Structures are given as C-alpha cells and as structure tokens.
Amino acid sequence: MRAIVQDRYGPTEMLRLQDVDVPKIGADEVLVRVHASGVDPGVWHLVTGLPYLVRLGFGLFRPASRVPGMDLAGVVEAVGSNVERFTPGDEVFGTGRGSYAEYASAPANRLAPKPRNLTFEQAAAVPISGQTALAAVRDAGQVRPGKRVLVIGAGGGVGTFAVQLAKALGAHVTGMCSTGKLDLVRSIGADEVVDYTRTDITDRGQRYDVVIDTAGNRRLAQLRLALVPTGVLVLVGGEAGTGKWLWGFDRQLRALLLSPLVSQRLVPLLSRESTENLVALTELIEAGALTPVVGRTYPLTEVAEALRHLEDGHSTGKTVVTI
Ligand SMILES: NC(=O)c1ccc[n+]([C@@H]2O[C@H](COP(=O)([O-])OP(=O)(O)OC[C@H]3O[C@@H](n4cnc5c(N)ncnc54)[C@H](OP(=O)(O)O)[C@@H]3O)[C@@H](O)[C@H]2O)c1
C-alpha cells in the first residue's frame, strides 16, 4: 500500500511516499481503508519530535510508528478476533495509527460509525479536534446554559468545534480570532467576535466564566484577568513556545501548580479519545448542531505541505488529507 513514511524525527521535508506492507491488526483492533485523514499540530510534533518531551511517549530515538497520522475516516477492511462492534464494509471515523496511508490500524474503542450526514473529508476533521474541544468545553469548562465563554483561536481546528459546542450547551459565546476569520466565527454561531489584532482580551473590560485558550500565546496572568473570580481557564495548547524540551508546556505546568492557590480553576487539558466521545459528537453533528469546518485539503502525496501549512499557526478550521 502507499504510505507516507519517516525513519527519524526531523523536518517535514524528510517525509516521503513509499510502498509498505498493510499493517497487521491485533485482537482488539480494526483495519481501516482510509479515505481521509486530519492534520493537526499534534502530528507535526510527532513528525519533528519536538518538544523532546513527546519522545518519551512516542519513541525515544525514532518514531514508534513509521507512518504518521492519527485522525481517520474510512471503511472497515478487517476486524480483530475480539471486535464485535464493527464488520467489514462499515463506514467509520476515529483515531488510529499511521493514517497517512491507504490502510491504518485503529483500536476498536477509538472508532465509531461515521456520521451519516458527513463526507469522509468532513468526518476526518472531527476526531482529535472535536474530542479535544468536547473535553475543553463539556468536561474541563463544565459549560452550562447562560455561561459566558471566550474561545481564543476560535477560527482554528479546535476553536471552530469549541465555539459550536459551547453554543450547543447554551452558552453566550465570544470568539477571538484574526480579522479574516471574523465572518467564519460568526457563521458558526459565536454571539460576539473579537479581532485580536485590534483589541486584546483585557481591553474590553469583559469577564468570562470560561476561557478556552487554543492559541497559547498569552501569559497566565493576562488570561486570568479576563475571568470572573470563580471562572475556569482551559489551556488547550499553543505553538508559541520555542524551547526544545517543553515548547510552552511550562505554561501548563505552572497552571497546574498555581490552580490550588487561586480562586479560579486553571486546567491544563489532556484530551482522551473514545468511542463514547465520538458518539456524543455524532449526535450533535446529525442533529445539525455541529458541522466540521474543513479549511484546506491536500492529496496524500502532499502531507508535508499540509503540515507546513499548519506551521505558521494561522490555518482556518481543520486541514484534511484525502487518500
Ligand atoms: N491538550 C490537548 O489534548 C490538545 C489536543 C489537540 C490540540 N492541542 C493543541 O491545541 C492547539 C490548537 O490546535 P488547533 O488544531 O486548533 O491549531 P490551529 O488550527 O493552528 O488553530 C490555532 C488558532 O489560533 C489562532 N491564533 C494564532 N495566534 C493567535 C493569537 N495571538 N490570538 C488569538 N488567536 C491566535 C490561529 O488563527 P488566527 O491567528 O488567524 O485567528 C488559529 O486559528 C495546538 O497547540 C495543539 O497542539 C492540544
């Protein structure tokens, strides 16, 4: 099968297309014929091995998986001996290993039936970013009807899901983004939009119950000024760091240490993928309350370009690779 491969950590330029064996699956796994796969900053970190911290979990000296890519949407080709939930021919979406390839393996408990009203490209945009936004809005942020929520990076991969999920949970949502994304963020349901190139969060004197930061380039002290005294700050991520060991992850660590000492709750987010979360997202998608925003799409041969498109940190919605 055709796959994008990497034999070492390094710049995206070293990724190349190769013929490799179709992956073998374990008893609890599913082999998926991949139709589309999502691209997100997490994959960039796993390709480059930066910050070094990621190597502890994903291969100390070289990537544990030679084929990058996690998000996938496609058709079940085969199932392991313990898998009862899926059969060959089922259309599925979720996260697996090595999805920048014609076939990928995925644990059955990280897959769900593809939402009926989505194309494979749209479905591939959902798993990581949608589940991250769900963890940020529903679980960490505990967003309820009437809560005032600020989403920073509202036009990005996670942000476009977070805005819609907070709206679906009945919140008053403010989306913060650059000028070119204001119309998009309004169109996905934000009650108010703020152009951060003109007004920063503390300039407006507004205080929010929940601030969800996907952009990662503001100091904790500044973010806390935008929160009510008992508010929740959810730190999803950010690519603003440069240190090769932590890459801005130190902000998450500082939040973890500071949170017990202040009245606000500061939550460094670590999202988890599961069938249950995918099903929760599917219900909203099929009810018309959640629609993935697909920005650019690239063919399998251009995965490196797709990852480079993310590098500048200003992509729109979710980037998708079609296979
Ligand atoms: N914690 C977890 O489990 C988890 C899971 C998934 C992802 N993440 C992390 O979450 C972060 C976001 O991921 P993503 O997929 O949403 O990335 P993305 O698609 O690149 O979105 C980031 C958004 O931030 C906006 N932005 C950049 N600078 C900004 C600024 N100064 N102020 C406000 N907005 C700004 C960008 O657009 P504009 O500047 O044009 O508005 C962009 O839309 C990444 O660091 C990723 O690694 C964490």
PDB file of all heavy atoms in Angstrom, residues 40-42 45 128-129 132 152-153 155-159 176-178 181 196 214-215 217-218 235-239 252 269-271 310 313-315 317-318, ligand 1:
ATOM      1  N   ASP A  40      -3.155  17.891  12.263  1.00  0.00           N
ATOM      2  CA  ASP A  40      -3.217  18.865  13.348  1.00  0.00           C
ATOM      3  C   ASP A  40      -1.836  19.048  13.961  1.00  0.00           C
ATOM      4  O   ASP A  40      -0.911  18.289  13.654  1.00  0.00           O
ATOM      5  CB  ASP A  40      -4.279  18.493  14.397  1.00  0.00           C
ATOM      6  CG  ASP A  40      -3.823  17.380  15.284  1.00  0.00           C
ATOM      7  OD1 ASP A  40      -3.523  16.308  14.734  1.00  0.00           O
ATOM      8  OD2 ASP A  40      -3.745  17.576  16.493  1.00  0.00           O
ATOM      9  N   PRO A  41      -1.675  20.074  14.811  1.00  0.00           N
ATOM     10  CA  PRO A  41      -0.342  20.365  15.341  1.00  0.00           C
ATOM     11  C   PRO A  41       0.277  19.169  16.066  1.00  0.00           C
ATOM     12  O   PRO A  41       1.493  19.009  16.073  1.00  0.00           O
ATOM     13  CB  PRO A  41      -0.589  21.529  16.304  1.00  0.00           C
ATOM     14  CG  PRO A  41      -1.823  22.196  15.786  1.00  0.00           C
ATOM     15  CD  PRO A  41      -2.671  21.091  15.238  1.00  0.00           C
ATOM     16  N   GLY A  42      -0.567  18.303  16.648  1.00  0.00           N
ATOM     17  CA  GLY A  42      -0.036  17.130  17.350  1.00  0.00           C
ATOM     18  C   GLY A  42       0.775  16.247  16.407  1.00  0.00           C
ATOM     19  O   GLY A  42       1.831  15.718  16.788  1.00  0.00           O
ATOM     20  N   HIS A  45       4.161  17.638  15.845  1.00  0.00           N
ATOM     21  CA  HIS A  45       5.078  17.366  16.965  1.00  0.00           C
ATOM     22  C   HIS A  45       5.639  15.949  16.875  1.00  0.00           C
ATOM     23  O   HIS A  45       6.806  15.718  17.167  1.00  0.00           O
ATOM     24  CB  HIS A  45       4.355  17.547  18.308  1.00  0.00           C
ATOM     25  CG  HIS A  45       4.036  18.981  18.604  1.00  0.00           C
ATOM     26  ND1 HIS A  45       4.999  19.933  18.797  1.00  0.00           N
ATOM     27  CD2 HIS A  45       2.862  19.632  18.720  1.00  0.00           C
ATOM     28  CE1 HIS A  45       4.443  21.109  19.023  1.00  0.00           C
ATOM     29  NE2 HIS A  45       3.137  20.953  18.979  1.00  0.00           N
ATOM     30  N   ILE A 128      -9.715  14.202  16.488  1.00  0.00           N
ATOM     31  CA  ILE A 128      -8.851  14.805  17.517  1.00  0.00           C
ATOM     32  C   ILE A 128      -9.364  16.183  17.934  1.00  0.00           C
ATOM     33  O   ILE A 128      -9.563  16.452  19.125  1.00  0.00           O
ATOM     34  CB  ILE A 128      -7.395  14.873  17.030  1.00  0.00           C
ATOM     35  CG1 ILE A 128      -6.846  13.454  16.970  1.00  0.00           C
ATOM     36  CG2 ILE A 128      -6.546  15.747  17.974  1.00  0.00           C
ATOM     37  CD1 ILE A 128      -5.466  13.327  16.435  1.00  0.00           C
ATOM     38  N   SER A 129      -9.617  17.044  16.962  1.00  0.00           N
ATOM     39  CA  SER A 129     -10.018  18.413  17.320  1.00  0.00           C
ATOM     40  C   SER A 129     -11.390  18.440  17.981  1.00  0.00           C
ATOM     41  O   SER A 129     -11.613  19.191  18.943  1.00  0.00           O
ATOM     42  CB  SER A 129     -10.020  19.306  16.076  1.00  0.00           C
ATOM     43  OG  SER A 129      -8.736  19.374  15.544  1.00  0.00           O
ATOM     44  N   THR A 132     -11.067  17.027  21.489  1.00  0.00           N
ATOM     45  CA  THR A 132     -10.347  17.983  22.342  1.00  0.00           C
ATOM     46  C   THR A 132     -11.290  19.108  22.760  1.00  0.00           C
ATOM     47  O   THR A 132     -11.334  19.509  23.937  1.00  0.00           O
ATOM     48  CB  THR A 132      -9.135  18.566  21.573  1.00  0.00           C
ATOM     49  OG1 THR A 132      -8.295  17.487  21.183  1.00  0.00           O
ATOM     50  CG2 THR A 132      -8.357  19.533  22.438  1.00  0.00           C
ATOM     51  N   ILE A 152     -10.441  31.498  22.519  1.00  0.00           N
ATOM     52  CA  ILE A 152      -9.303  32.173  21.859  1.00  0.00           C
ATOM     53  C   ILE A 152      -8.744  31.217  20.797  1.00  0.00           C
ATOM     54  O   ILE A 152      -8.455  30.063  21.087  1.00  0.00           O
ATOM     55  CB  ILE A 152      -8.204  32.532  22.889  1.00  0.00           C
ATOM     56  CG1 ILE A 152      -8.802  33.381  24.019  1.00  0.00           C
ATOM     57  CG2 ILE A 152      -7.057  33.258  22.206  1.00  0.00           C
ATOM     58  CD1 ILE A 152      -7.815  33.677  25.153  1.00  0.00           C
ATOM     59  N   GLY A 153      -8.619  31.718  19.571  1.00  0.00           N
ATOM     60  CA  GLY A 153      -8.245  30.843  18.453  1.00  0.00           C
ATOM     61  C   GLY A 153      -9.499  30.215  17.869  1.00  0.00           C
ATOM     62  O   GLY A 153      -9.501  29.068  17.445  1.00  0.00           O
ATOM     63  N   GLY A 155     -11.110  30.420  15.194  1.00  0.00           N
ATOM     64  CA  GLY A 155     -11.215  30.015  13.785  1.00  0.00           C
ATOM     65  C   GLY A 155     -10.332  28.835  13.440  1.00  0.00           C
ATOM     66  O   GLY A 155     -10.234  28.448  12.277  1.00  0.00           O
ATOM     67  N   GLY A 156      -9.688  28.225  14.448  1.00  0.00           N
ATOM     68  CA  GLY A 156      -8.761  27.124  14.179  1.00  0.00           C
ATOM     69  C   GLY A 156      -9.405  25.754  14.291  1.00  0.00           C
ATOM     70  O   GLY A 156     -10.627  25.624  14.442  1.00  0.00           O
ATOM     71  N   GLY A 157      -8.567  24.719  14.253  1.00  0.00           N
ATOM     72  CA  GLY A 157      -9.050  23.337  14.277  1.00  0.00           C
ATOM     73  C   GLY A 157      -9.888  23.037  15.503  1.00  0.00           C
ATOM     74  O   GLY A 157     -11.031  22.587  15.407  1.00  0.00           O
ATOM     75  N   VAL A 158      -9.346  23.289  16.687  1.00  0.00           N
ATOM     76  CA  VAL A 158     -10.091  23.032  17.923  1.00  0.00           C
ATOM     77  C   VAL A 158     -11.119  24.140  18.156  1.00  0.00           C
ATOM     78  O   VAL A 158     -12.256  23.885  18.583  1.00  0.00           O
ATOM     79  CB  VAL A 158      -9.125  22.927  19.131  1.00  0.00           C
ATOM     80  CG1 VAL A 158      -9.894  22.736  20.429  1.00  0.00           C
ATOM     81  CG2 VAL A 158      -8.137  21.775  18.930  1.00  0.00           C
ATOM     82  N   GLY A 159     -10.732  25.377  17.871  1.00  0.00           N
ATOM     83  CA  GLY A 159     -11.586  26.530  18.169  1.00  0.00           C
ATOM     84  C   GLY A 159     -12.942  26.478  17.461  1.00  0.00           C
ATOM     85  O   GLY A 159     -13.974  26.816  18.064  1.00  0.00           O
ATOM     86  N   MET A 176     -12.602  34.736  19.624  1.00  0.00           N
ATOM     87  CA  MET A 176     -11.499  35.668  19.346  1.00  0.00           C
ATOM     88  C   MET A 176     -10.639  35.091  18.231  1.00  0.00           C
ATOM     89  O   MET A 176     -10.232  33.926  18.285  1.00  0.00           O
ATOM     90  CB  MET A 176     -10.675  35.851  20.619  1.00  0.00           C
ATOM     91  CG  MET A 176      -9.471  36.720  20.411  1.00  0.00           C
ATOM     92  SD  MET A 176      -8.724  37.144  21.992  1.00  0.00           S
ATOM     93  CE  MET A 176      -9.405  38.739  22.264  1.00  0.00           C
ATOM     94  N   CYS A 177     -10.393  35.900  17.193  1.00  0.00           N
ATOM     95  CA  CYS A 177      -9.624  35.426  16.044  1.00  0.00           C
ATOM     96  C   CYS A 177      -9.058  36.622  15.295  1.00  0.00           C
ATOM     97  O   CYS A 177      -9.317  37.768  15.657  1.00  0.00           O
ATOM     98  CB  CYS A 177     -10.518  34.591  15.128  1.00  0.00           C
ATOM     99  SG  CYS A 177     -11.976  35.496  14.563  1.00  0.00           S
ATOM    100  N   SER A 178      -8.319  36.354  14.214  1.00  0.00           N
ATOM    101  CA  SER A 178      -7.786  37.443  13.395  1.00  0.00           C
ATOM    102  C   SER A 178      -8.875  37.954  12.448  1.00  0.00           C
ATOM    103  O   SER A 178      -9.910  37.295  12.253  1.00  0.00           O
ATOM    104  CB  SER A 178      -6.555  36.962  12.621  1.00  0.00           C
ATOM    105  OG  SER A 178      -6.904  35.840  11.854  1.00  0.00           O
ATOM    106  N   LYS A 181     -11.007  35.925   9.854  1.00  0.00           N
ATOM    107  CA  LYS A 181     -11.846  34.797  10.294  1.00  0.00           C
ATOM    108  C   LYS A 181     -13.105  35.251  11.029  1.00  0.00           C
ATOM    109  O   LYS A 181     -13.881  34.407  11.488  1.00  0.00           O
ATOM    110  CB  LYS A 181     -11.031  33.864  11.197  1.00  0.00           C
ATOM    111  CG  LYS A 181      -9.939  33.154  10.430  1.00  0.00           C
ATOM    112  CD  LYS A 181      -9.116  32.260  11.310  1.00  0.00           C
ATOM    113  CE  LYS A 181      -7.972  31.684  10.481  1.00  0.00           C
ATOM    114  NZ  LYS A 181      -6.851  31.274  11.297  1.00  0.00           N
ATOM    115  N   TYR A 196      -8.449  40.031  17.507  1.00  0.00           N
ATOM    116  CA  TYR A 196      -7.344  40.243  18.464  1.00  0.00           C
ATOM    117  C   TYR A 196      -6.241  41.127  17.883  1.00  0.00           C
ATOM    118  O   TYR A 196      -5.377  41.590  18.621  1.00  0.00           O
ATOM    119  CB  TYR A 196      -6.779  38.920  18.977  1.00  0.00           C
ATOM    120  CG  TYR A 196      -5.952  38.139  17.980  1.00  0.00           C
ATOM    121  CD1 TYR A 196      -4.622  38.432  17.737  1.00  0.00           C
ATOM    122  CD2 TYR A 196      -6.511  37.081  17.281  1.00  0.00           C
ATOM    123  CE1 TYR A 196      -3.874  37.712  16.821  1.00  0.00           C
ATOM    124  CE2 TYR A 196      -5.786  36.359  16.375  1.00  0.00           C
ATOM    125  CZ  TYR A 196      -4.456  36.680  16.137  1.00  0.00           C
ATOM    126  OH  TYR A 196      -3.719  35.971  15.238  1.00  0.00           O
ATOM    127  N   THR A 214      -6.841  28.162  22.850  1.00  0.00           N
ATOM    128  CA  THR A 214      -6.203  27.215  21.914  1.00  0.00           C
ATOM    129  C   THR A 214      -4.981  27.852  21.258  1.00  0.00           C
ATOM    130  O   THR A 214      -4.239  27.170  20.576  1.00  0.00           O
ATOM    131  CB  THR A 214      -7.175  26.742  20.804  1.00  0.00           C
ATOM    132  OG1 THR A 214      -7.339  27.786  19.848  1.00  0.00           O
ATOM    133  CG2 THR A 214      -8.518  26.330  21.362  1.00  0.00           C
ATOM    134  N   ALA A 215      -4.817  29.164  21.433  1.00  0.00           N
ATOM    135  CA  ALA A 215      -3.726  29.854  20.729  1.00  0.00           C
ATOM    136  C   ALA A 215      -2.416  29.789  21.507  1.00  0.00           C
ATOM    137  O   ALA A 215      -1.346  29.661  20.919  1.00  0.00           O
ATOM    138  CB  ALA A 215      -4.109  31.308  20.467  1.00  0.00           C
ATOM    139  N   ASN A 217      -0.580  31.875  23.245  1.00  0.00           N
ATOM    140  CA  ASN A 217       0.492  32.872  23.294  1.00  0.00           C
ATOM    141  C   ASN A 217       0.232  34.020  24.267  1.00  0.00           C
ATOM    142  O   ASN A 217       0.776  35.094  24.117  1.00  0.00           O
ATOM    143  CB  ASN A 217       0.808  33.405  21.890  1.00  0.00           C
ATOM    144  CG  ASN A 217      -0.425  33.438  21.024  1.00  0.00           C
ATOM    145  OD1 ASN A 217      -1.529  33.541  21.541  1.00  0.00           O
ATOM    146  ND2 ASN A 217      -0.257  33.317  19.727  1.00  0.00           N
ATOM    147  N   ARG A 218      -0.627  33.771  25.253  1.00  0.00           N
ATOM    148  CA  ARG A 218      -0.837  34.806  26.286  1.00  0.00           C
ATOM    149  C   ARG A 218      -0.408  34.262  27.646  1.00  0.00           C
ATOM    150  O   ARG A 218      -0.550  33.072  27.915  1.00  0.00           O
ATOM    151  CB  ARG A 218      -2.305  35.229  26.320  1.00  0.00           C
ATOM    152  CG  ARG A 218      -2.671  36.069  25.123  1.00  0.00           C
ATOM    153  CD  ARG A 218      -4.139  36.383  25.053  1.00  0.00           C
ATOM    154  NE  ARG A 218      -4.414  37.124  23.833  1.00  0.00           N
ATOM    155  CZ  ARG A 218      -4.504  36.579  22.627  1.00  0.00           C
ATOM    156  NH1 ARG A 218      -4.364  35.278  22.481  1.00  0.00           N
ATOM    157  NH2 ARG A 218      -4.719  37.320  21.564  1.00  0.00           N
ATOM    158  N   LEU A 235      -6.530  25.463  29.293  1.00  0.00           N
ATOM    159  CA  LEU A 235      -5.374  25.646  28.414  1.00  0.00           C
ATOM    160  C   LEU A 235      -5.295  24.446  27.479  1.00  0.00           C
ATOM    161  O   LEU A 235      -4.887  23.356  27.875  1.00  0.00           O
ATOM    162  CB  LEU A 235      -4.096  25.753  29.254  1.00  0.00           C
ATOM    163  CG  LEU A 235      -4.064  26.930  30.228  1.00  0.00           C
ATOM    164  CD1 LEU A 235      -2.913  26.784  31.207  1.00  0.00           C
ATOM    165  CD2 LEU A 235      -3.977  28.250  29.485  1.00  0.00           C
ATOM    166  N   VAL A 236      -5.729  24.658  26.248  1.00  0.00           N
ATOM    167  CA  VAL A 236      -5.760  23.541  25.295  1.00  0.00           C
ATOM    168  C   VAL A 236      -4.369  23.313  24.730  1.00  0.00           C
ATOM    169  O   VAL A 236      -3.925  22.181  24.561  1.00  0.00           O
ATOM    170  CB  VAL A 236      -6.766  23.823  24.163  1.00  0.00           C
ATOM    171  CG1 VAL A 236      -6.707  22.727  23.105  1.00  0.00           C
ATOM    172  CG2 VAL A 236      -8.171  23.931  24.728  1.00  0.00           C
ATOM    173  N   GLY A 237      -3.679  24.384  24.404  1.00  0.00           N
ATOM    174  CA  GLY A 237      -2.354  24.202  23.822  1.00  0.00           C
ATOM    175  C   GLY A 237      -1.804  25.504  23.350  1.00  0.00           C
ATOM    176  O   GLY A 237      -2.181  26.564  23.853  1.00  0.00           O
ATOM    177  N   GLY A 238      -0.939  25.416  22.376  1.00  0.00           N
ATOM    178  CA  GLY A 238      -0.317  26.608  21.838  1.00  0.00           C
ATOM    179  C   GLY A 238       1.039  26.279  21.275  1.00  0.00           C
ATOM    180  O   GLY A 238       1.735  25.416  21.805  1.00  0.00           O
ATOM    181  N   GLU A 239       1.346  26.949  20.194  1.00  0.00           N
ATOM    182  CA  GLU A 239       2.609  26.667  19.498  1.00  0.00           C
ATOM    183  C   GLU A 239       3.574  27.824  19.651  1.00  0.00           C
ATOM    184  O   GLU A 239       4.480  27.992  18.848  1.00  0.00           O
ATOM    185  CB  GLU A 239       2.301  26.409  18.014  1.00  0.00           C
ATOM    186  CG  GLU A 239       1.313  25.274  17.771  1.00  0.00           C
ATOM    187  CD  GLU A 239       1.811  23.953  18.328  1.00  0.00           C
ATOM    188  OE1 GLU A 239       3.008  23.654  18.179  1.00  0.00           O
ATOM    189  OE2 GLU A 239       1.004  23.229  18.938  1.00  0.00           O
ATOM    190  N   GLN A 252       1.532  25.157  30.984  1.00  0.00           N
ATOM    191  CA  GLN A 252       0.582  24.169  31.522  1.00  0.00           C
ATOM    192  C   GLN A 252       1.009  23.737  32.930  1.00  0.00           C
ATOM    193  O   GLN A 252       0.181  23.612  33.820  1.00  0.00           O
ATOM    194  CB  GLN A 252       0.509  22.901  30.643  1.00  0.00           C
ATOM    195  CG  GLN A 252       0.511  23.106  29.148  1.00  0.00           C
ATOM    196  CD  GLN A 252      -0.853  23.407  28.606  1.00  0.00           C
ATOM    197  OE1 GLN A 252      -1.248  24.555  28.636  1.00  0.00           O
ATOM    198  NE2 GLN A 252      -1.554  22.429  28.125  1.00  0.00           N
ATOM    199  N   LEU A 269      -5.239  21.066  29.669  1.00  0.00           N
ATOM    200  CA  LEU A 269      -6.080  19.993  29.103  1.00  0.00           C
ATOM    201  C   LEU A 269      -5.247  18.860  28.509  1.00  0.00           C
ATOM    202  O   LEU A 269      -4.283  19.096  27.792  1.00  0.00           O
ATOM    203  CB  LEU A 269      -6.981  20.575  28.005  1.00  0.00           C
ATOM    204  CG  LEU A 269      -8.056  19.613  27.513  1.00  0.00           C
ATOM    205  CD1 LEU A 269      -9.208  19.583  28.503  1.00  0.00           C
ATOM    206  CD2 LEU A 269      -8.554  20.000  26.143  1.00  0.00           C
ATOM    207  N   LEU A 270      -5.642  17.657  28.796  1.00  0.00           N
ATOM    208  CA  LEU A 270      -5.091  16.496  28.112  1.00  0.00           C
ATOM    209  C   LEU A 270      -6.302  15.690  27.643  1.00  0.00           C
ATOM    210  O   LEU A 270      -6.982  15.074  28.460  1.00  0.00           O
ATOM    211  CB  LEU A 270      -4.211  15.676  29.079  1.00  0.00           C
ATOM    212  CG  LEU A 270      -3.225  14.738  28.406  1.00  0.00           C
ATOM    213  CD1 LEU A 270      -2.284  15.492  27.471  1.00  0.00           C
ATOM    214  CD2 LEU A 270      -2.436  13.968  29.439  1.00  0.00           C
ATOM    215  N   SER A 271      -6.574  15.745  26.353  1.00  0.00           N
ATOM    216  CA  SER A 271      -7.809  15.092  25.889  1.00  0.00           C
ATOM    217  C   SER A 271      -7.579  13.597  25.675  1.00  0.00           C
ATOM    218  O   SER A 271      -6.452  13.164  25.426  1.00  0.00           O
ATOM    219  CB  SER A 271      -8.301  15.743  24.601  1.00  0.00           C
ATOM    220  OG  SER A 271      -7.422  15.447  23.564  1.00  0.00           O
ATOM    221  N   LEU A 310       0.241  24.233   8.534  1.00  0.00           N
ATOM    222  CA  LEU A 310      -0.109  24.442   9.951  1.00  0.00           C
ATOM    223  C   LEU A 310       0.962  25.204  10.717  1.00  0.00           C
ATOM    224  O   LEU A 310       0.685  25.817  11.745  1.00  0.00           O
ATOM    225  CB  LEU A 310      -0.280  23.095  10.660  1.00  0.00           C
ATOM    226  CG  LEU A 310      -1.542  22.299  10.475  1.00  0.00           C
ATOM    227  CD1 LEU A 310      -1.601  21.223  11.541  1.00  0.00           C
ATOM    228  CD2 LEU A 310      -2.773  23.172  10.564  1.00  0.00           C
ATOM    229  N   GLY A 313       0.674  28.679  12.186  1.00  0.00           N
ATOM    230  CA  GLY A 313      -0.255  28.858  13.303  1.00  0.00           C
ATOM    231  C   GLY A 313      -1.497  29.663  12.985  1.00  0.00           C
ATOM    232  O   GLY A 313      -2.202  30.093  13.891  1.00  0.00           O
ATOM    233  N   HIS A 314      -1.795  29.877  11.709  1.00  0.00           N
ATOM    234  CA  HIS A 314      -2.962  30.696  11.375  1.00  0.00           C
ATOM    235  C   HIS A 314      -3.888  29.997  10.378  1.00  0.00           C
ATOM    236  O   HIS A 314      -4.613  30.658   9.626  1.00  0.00           O
ATOM    237  CB  HIS A 314      -2.523  32.060  10.812  1.00  0.00           C
ATOM    238  CG  HIS A 314      -1.704  32.848  11.787  1.00  0.00           C
ATOM    239  ND1 HIS A 314      -2.258  33.484  12.888  1.00  0.00           N
ATOM    240  CD2 HIS A 314      -0.367  33.062  11.864  1.00  0.00           C
ATOM    241  CE1 HIS A 314      -1.296  34.065  13.585  1.00  0.00           C
ATOM    242  NE2 HIS A 314      -0.148  33.814  12.989  1.00  0.00           N
ATOM    243  N   SER A 315      -3.876  28.677  10.338  1.00  0.00           N
ATOM    244  CA  SER A 315      -4.748  27.999   9.371  1.00  0.00           C
ATOM    245  C   SER A 315      -6.208  28.132   9.797  1.00  0.00           C
ATOM    246  O   SER A 315      -6.509  28.420  10.956  1.00  0.00           O
ATOM    247  CB  SER A 315      -4.356  26.524   9.227  1.00  0.00           C
ATOM    248  OG  SER A 315      -4.369  25.915  10.483  1.00  0.00           O
ATOM    249  N   GLY A 317      -9.935  26.529  10.327  1.00  0.00           N
ATOM    250  CA  GLY A 317     -10.621  25.257  10.551  1.00  0.00           C
ATOM    251  C   GLY A 317      -9.614  24.125  10.561  1.00  0.00           C
ATOM    252  O   GLY A 317      -8.507  24.250  11.069  1.00  0.00           O
ATOM    253  N   LYS A 318     -10.029  23.027   9.984  1.00  0.00           N
ATOM    254  CA  LYS A 318      -9.201  21.820  10.032  1.00  0.00           C
ATOM    255  C   LYS A 318      -8.635  21.509   8.650  1.00  0.00           C
ATOM    256  O   LYS A 318      -9.343  21.598   7.645  1.00  0.00           O
ATOM    257  CB  LYS A 318     -10.119  20.675  10.504  1.00  0.00           C
ATOM    258  CG  LYS A 318      -9.442  19.417  10.793  1.00  0.00           C
ATOM    259  CD  LYS A 318      -8.834  19.386  12.165  1.00  0.00           C
ATOM    260  CE  LYS A 318      -8.126  18.042  12.313  1.00  0.00           C
ATOM    261  NZ  LYS A 318      -7.330  17.976  13.498  1.00  0.00           N
TER     262      LYS A 318
HETATM  263  N1  LIG B   1      -4.431  19.408  25.048  1.00  0.00           N
HETATM  264  C1  LIG B   1      -4.717  18.545  24.096  1.00  0.00           C
HETATM  265  O1  LIG B   1      -5.076  17.396  24.374  1.00  0.00           O
HETATM  266  C2  LIG B   1      -4.661  19.019  22.661  1.00  0.00           C
HETATM  267  C3  LIG B   1      -5.319  18.321  21.653  1.00  0.00           C
HETATM  268  C4  LIG B   1      -5.304  18.837  20.364  1.00  0.00           C
HETATM  269  C5  LIG B   1      -4.580  20.006  20.097  1.00  0.00           C
HETATM  270  N2  LIG B   1      -3.896  20.619  21.094  1.00  0.00           N
HETATM  271  C6  LIG B   1      -3.140  21.856  20.859  1.00  0.00           C
HETATM  272  O2  LIG B   1      -4.064  22.920  20.757  1.00  0.00           O
HETATM  273  C7  LIG B   1      -3.507  23.947  19.955  1.00  0.00           C
HETATM  274  C8  LIG B   1      -4.520  24.366  18.919  1.00  0.00           C
HETATM  275  O3  LIG B   1      -4.722  23.310  17.991  1.00  0.00           O
HETATM  276  P1  LIG B   1      -5.522  23.598  16.659  1.00  0.00           P
HETATM  277  O4  LIG B   1      -5.614  22.313  15.923  1.00  0.00           O
HETATM  278  O5  LIG B   1      -6.750  24.339  16.947  1.00  0.00           O
HETATM  279  O6  LIG B   1      -4.484  24.574  15.915  1.00  0.00           O
HETATM  280  P2  LIG B   1      -4.801  25.586  14.728  1.00  0.00           P
HETATM  281  O7  LIG B   1      -5.809  25.009  13.815  1.00  0.00           O
HETATM  282  O8  LIG B   1      -3.476  26.011  14.185  1.00  0.00           O
HETATM  283  O9  LIG B   1      -5.525  26.813  15.468  1.00  0.00           O
HETATM  284  C9  LIG B   1      -4.852  27.759  16.229  1.00  0.00           C
HETATM  285  C10 LIG B   1      -5.596  29.085  16.032  1.00  0.00           C
HETATM  286  O10 LIG B   1      -5.040  30.082  16.849  1.00  0.00           O
HETATM  287  C11 LIG B   1      -5.167  31.331  16.173  1.00  0.00           C
HETATM  288  N3  LIG B   1      -4.169  32.262  16.699  1.00  0.00           N
HETATM  289  C12 LIG B   1      -2.839  32.329  16.428  1.00  0.00           C
HETATM  290  N4  LIG B   1      -2.273  33.336  17.133  1.00  0.00           N
HETATM  291  C13 LIG B   1      -3.270  33.902  17.877  1.00  0.00           C
HETATM  292  C14 LIG B   1      -3.332  34.959  18.819  1.00  0.00           C
HETATM  293  N5  LIG B   1      -2.243  35.686  19.137  1.00  0.00           N
HETATM  294  N6  LIG B   1      -4.512  35.233  19.411  1.00  0.00           N
HETATM  295  C15 LIG B   1      -5.631  34.531  19.118  1.00  0.00           C
HETATM  296  N7  LIG B   1      -5.652  33.519  18.221  1.00  0.00           N
HETATM  297  C16 LIG B   1      -4.476  33.215  17.609  1.00  0.00           C
HETATM  298  C17 LIG B   1      -4.948  30.999  14.708  1.00  0.00           C
HETATM  299  O11 LIG B   1      -5.655  31.760  13.732  1.00  0.00           O
HETATM  300  P3  LIG B   1      -5.708  33.345  13.568  1.00  0.00           P
HETATM  301  O12 LIG B   1      -4.494  33.882  14.261  1.00  0.00           O
HETATM  302  O13 LIG B   1      -5.647  33.593  12.097  1.00  0.00           O
HETATM  303  O14 LIG B   1      -7.008  33.764  14.169  1.00  0.00           O
HETATM  304  C18 LIG B   1      -5.506  29.572  14.599  1.00  0.00           C
HETATM  305  O15 LIG B   1      -6.802  29.584  14.047  1.00  0.00           O
HETATM  306  C19 LIG B   1      -2.211  23.390  19.389  1.00  0.00           C
HETATM  307  O16 LIG B   1      -1.145  23.856  20.152  1.00  0.00           O
HETATM  308  C20 LIG B   1      -2.349  21.886  19.571  1.00  0.00           C
HETATM  309  O17 LIG B   1      -1.111  21.232  19.682  1.00  0.00           O
HETATM  310  C21 LIG B   1      -3.925  20.153  22.370  1.00  0.00           C
END
